[in-house]
Amino acid sequence: MTSNDNLRALALVCSLKPTPAESSSELMAQQVLDALGTHGVDGECVRVVDHDIHPGVKPDMGKGDEWPWLREKLRLADILILSTPTWVGHMSSIAQRVLERLDAELSETDEQGRPSMYGKVGVAAVVGNEDGAHKIVADTFQALNDIGFTIPAQGGTYWNGEAMHPKDYIDLEETPKAVASTTKSLAANAAHLARLLKQEQYPAD
């Protein structure tokens, strides 16, 4: 498998703000996608709050549930970017719902009996003008790993604003160097790992 093999990324933006409101989480997700693009990875952002994602832990929660549509996009992706704001020190309720819906994948398998998310890479992007990014990244990684995703080295990028200051990530005149550097490393490692996994999938039991 060569570096030219096609990879796809899906960024699930877990902002509480529906489109067309500006979103710091979407901005950071797009920056991750742009960085992945330099490694030959195509991708798209989906703002989850724009869709009716029912609560539950099944792949399809019935009439009106739009999760199956998102699930199909994820099935075709090699890399998942979960991008969330920080609210009262935690990921958004939208991000939590995404993880709850992904829990159904524990009982879904491929034709060789492997959990359905095996071979996919998961990364996290977190923004907020309050503390909590490290905890959110840790919780996200634990959940994604349990579900079957593989986490690359330095697979999380984040920005925390000054404590008790109203400025948001989207209000910055330029991306801080540390954030840009971390996002660059995340993208390089995620693309590298995704190619390796696409070349040689985990063994079936």
Side-chain angles (χ1 to χ4, degrees), residues 36-144:
L36 284 167
T38 67
H39 298 279
V41 181
D42 296 325
E44 65 174 314
C45 279
V46 175
R47 202 179 298 197
V48 179
V49 75
D50 290 342
H51 304 278
D52 189 4
I53 308 302
H54 292 186
V57 290
K58 295 180 180 180
D60 188 340
M61 294 304 297
K63 184 177 180 181
D65 182 22
E66 293 186 60
W67 177 254
W69 173 78
L70 280 183
R71 184 173 181 261
E72 178 61 17
K73 286 184 175 292
L74 179 56
R75 189 186 69 80
L76 298 174
D78 303 289
I79 301 169
L80 169 64
I81 303 154
L82 189 70
S83 182
T84 178
T86 305
W87 286 108
V88 291
H90 300 279
M91 69 179 72
S92 73
S93 58
I94 303 297
Q96 183 65 39
R97 178 159 297 184
V98 167
L99 293 177
E100 289 166 352
R101 295 305 303 268
L102 283 171
D103 186 73
E105 302 305 324
L106 287 168
S107 58
E108 300 293 317
T109 58
D110 67 12
E111 64 278 2
Q112 296 187 45
R114 289 177 292 238
S116 61
M117 295 296 111
Y118 267 34
K120 297 186 186 297
V121 170
V123 300
V126 182
V127 294
N129 51 20
E130 59 178 296
D131 195 12
H134 278 181
K135 175 66 161 57
I136 292 169
V137 170
D139 288 348
T140 300
F141 283 175
Q142 179 65 54
L144 292 179

